[in-house]
Amino acid sequence: MSSSRLSVSATEHVDEKFYLAEDLQDPHESTLHRGLKARQMSMIALGGTIGTGLIMSSGTALVRGGPLGLCLGFLFVGLICYLTLAALGEMTAYLPHKRGFAGYATRFVDPAVGFALGWIYLIKYLIAPASNINAAGIVMQYWTLSVPIEVWAVVIMNLLGIQFFGELEFWMSGLKVVSLMGLILLGIIVDLGGNPKHDRIGFRYWRQPNGPMGSYLVHQVHNEQFAVFLGFWSTLTTALFAYIGSELVAVTAGEAQNPRKTIPRAIKSTFVRVFVFYIGCVFAISLIVPSTSTQLLVANSSHAGAAASPFVVGVTLVGIKGLNHVINAMILLFTISAANSDLYIASRTLYGLAIERKAPHIFTKVNKRGVPWVSLLVVSLFNCLTFLNVSTSSATVFAYGVNLLSAFGAITWMTIAYSHIRFMQALKAQGISRDSLPYKGSCQPLGSWFVLVSTGIILLFKGFDTFLPFTPALFITSYLPIPLFFIFWLGYKLRYRTRVIPSSKVDLITGKREIDEEEERFILREKAREGKMSKWQKLADVL
């Protein structure tokens, strides 16, 4: 792309029929600081969203889908996740603005779609911290049932350190990565006979009567083959819940140093996370835990205070004493870290909506450290949703959370994929080569179409089990996000009369020059800093 083309003023490219001024410009007043370093971005991308979906909900997927169904489900949704992030990485590296990826839907599709996505994503992360805090309370109940779970909720809320997110999440993500690698190795060692019983398990649990596939709702459908298919299909919802939040790396774009370099690096690390951590983890679980276990959370009538995590069940079955408490402590770290990430995303999403004037202006206020404190205060109040478990069992509340969050996550991924498809169409229509982009995603444009179609099918049929028998609460939590999205979209469209933006009219320029200049200044500062560093400081910086 020629420099003369980039220097054209925004007013020449903004068609008022398609955009409002606030749809394109980042605020010039007090704003988020670009304070997230490359090491923080990479580690947050690697381990920031590993949480309850992988460590706890995988037990439910194991029971319903069997060991093979569990692995296949996570592998399939892992591919969707990677393609989603590859698409998101292209847009984010090209234009790392401070309004989140709802801003890309606004710019490349239709401001009404950006509004709907922004609010859907915000609601998702108003619920998510409470879900993770509830999960942490379930973990605490492994040690004692004498303390009400709402007491644990209050304690855990006060442990969250969102105001120091970057550094705190760097170390917590690092601990999670190390812990998860340890758990995977533990599962393999136990499976090969490294346990007090010297029992070489091998693939015993992949064979009957435990595996390889589950038979979910077989007594309701009265067909073994169909029940096997339903068991596999149910693992897709659990896997979706486990992977959602991976888009955190794009939300941090507005606070990343040198985002054109750090974001592609963080996106590429996703491949490692998906195929080493997630697939490795569920494979290890499938080896050491039978799908017929009655101790897994939300499965086989598990009671409050049950082991919850498959890894705890696995070490207990082979008689390893004491390690179950260590693993449970690790899982507690996972859930608190996930809640911390959720609060970060919620506050930044609300901030992004406010600077687009799609939420009250007061939410744009930041403190001297660049933290949107008003947004953070409001989203933190929604942690009180945790106290729903006072009148309902913690396991049931957790199931509601899985249903809602997986549906919100599916809509988010679909909208990201469609925004990327429109982004590529705009590049083509305006004669801009993809080879000029700072980062080129894999398997595009087919990858984004695959994400859009496959995720839509999962979303449409994810609540099939709410009809067998019909359970109103589970049905509502499975499908409520769909009408909510269309209500937001239609309401904004009727109010502002917006239209889908033609590819030739999509604004690919406004705000880009400022980001280019900011990147150049950062590179110059880094070169000046490196010139004053000793060789040991340079080595430490690289590490």
Side-chain angles (χ1 to χ4, degrees), residues 67 77 124 175 190 269 340 364 403 406 454:
V77 180
K124 171 180 179 288
L175 286 172
V190 167
S269 72
N340 197 54
T364 63
N403 283 341
S406 57
S454 57

Side-chain angles (χ1 to χ4, degrees), residues 28-102:
H28 295 292
E29 65 265 23
S30 297
T31 185
L32 303 179
H33 295 178
R34 290 197 183 273
L36 289 180
K37 300 177 176 62
R39 63 178 177 84
Q40 294 171 337
M41 287 287 294
S42 296
M43 188 57 72
I44 289 168
L46 196 61
T49 55
I50 296 174
T52 55
L54 176 62
I55 300 300
M56 295 174 65
S57 295
S58 52
T60 302
L62 176 63
V63 170
R64 295 176 178 177
L68 179 58
L70 171 68
C71 293
L72 290 176
F74 269 77
L75 186 63
F76 182 76
V77 180
L79 176 61
I80 297 175
C81 175
Y82 177 69
L83 292 174
T84 301
L85 292 193
L88 185 57
E90 277 199 7
M91 298 185 291
T92 307
Y94 177 79
L95 192 69
H97 59 207
K98 300 181 179 183
R99 59 189 68 228
F101 45 76

